[in-house]
Amino acid sequence: MKIEDIQPVGARFLILPYESATKSTAGLVMEHSSNVSAAPVRGTIVAAGDESQFSKGQEVLYTRYSTYKCTIITPDGEKEFILVEDEDCLAIIKTKK
């Protein structure tokens, strides 16, 4: 399945999240924040619904617990994506060009 084959419905968008933790050589997962549960999550939008105010390619911060996780098998292997409603987006991250 290709990401292009997925179209969120309504005011939702699909995000490829950034890694929020690192894994040590011993296999231990270490979170970057001491208060991970309250920290917003960052990612890039890969698809947006027709009613979404966001668009593909935007980098955003979103709430951690108001999302739906989904694992999609792509030609590059299994990847975890997040489905988010517009109201759960906290900020758009603008980068200088």
Side-chain angles (χ1 to χ4, degrees):
M1 176 181 288
K2 296 179 183 175
I3 298 304
E4 295 82 19
D5 296 336
I6 298 175
Q7 176 65 48
V9 178
R12 294 180 183 87
F13 51 92
L14 190 66
I15 290 182
L16 178 60
Y18 295 149
E19 293 294 323
S20 63
T22 56
K23 189 182 282 190
S24 72
T25 55
L28 296 173
V29 176
M30 299 174 289
E31 295 287 346
H32 292 294
S33 173
S34 60
N35 190 7
V36 174
S37 63
V41 186
R42 187 174 176 171
T44 301
I45 297 175
V46 295
D50 293 336
E51 297 172 25
S52 178
Q53 61 185 357
F54 302 100
S55 57
K56 182 178 178 179
Q58 287 182 307
E59 189 175 344
V60 294
L61 288 177
Y62 57 95
T63 57
R64 180 179 301 273
Y65 295 111
S66 299
T67 62
Y68 304 95
K69 290 183 182 179
C70 56
T71 302
I72 299 171
I73 300 172
T74 67
D76 299 328
E78 261 186 26
K79 291 186 179 180
E80 186 175 282
F81 292 87
I82 307 292
L83 189 61
V84 181
E85 293 188 27
D86 278 13
E87 64 189 33
D88 295 317
C89 182
L90 301 173
I92 297 171
I93 300 170
K94 296 185 179 183
T95 55
K96 294 181 181 180
K97 292 186 178 187

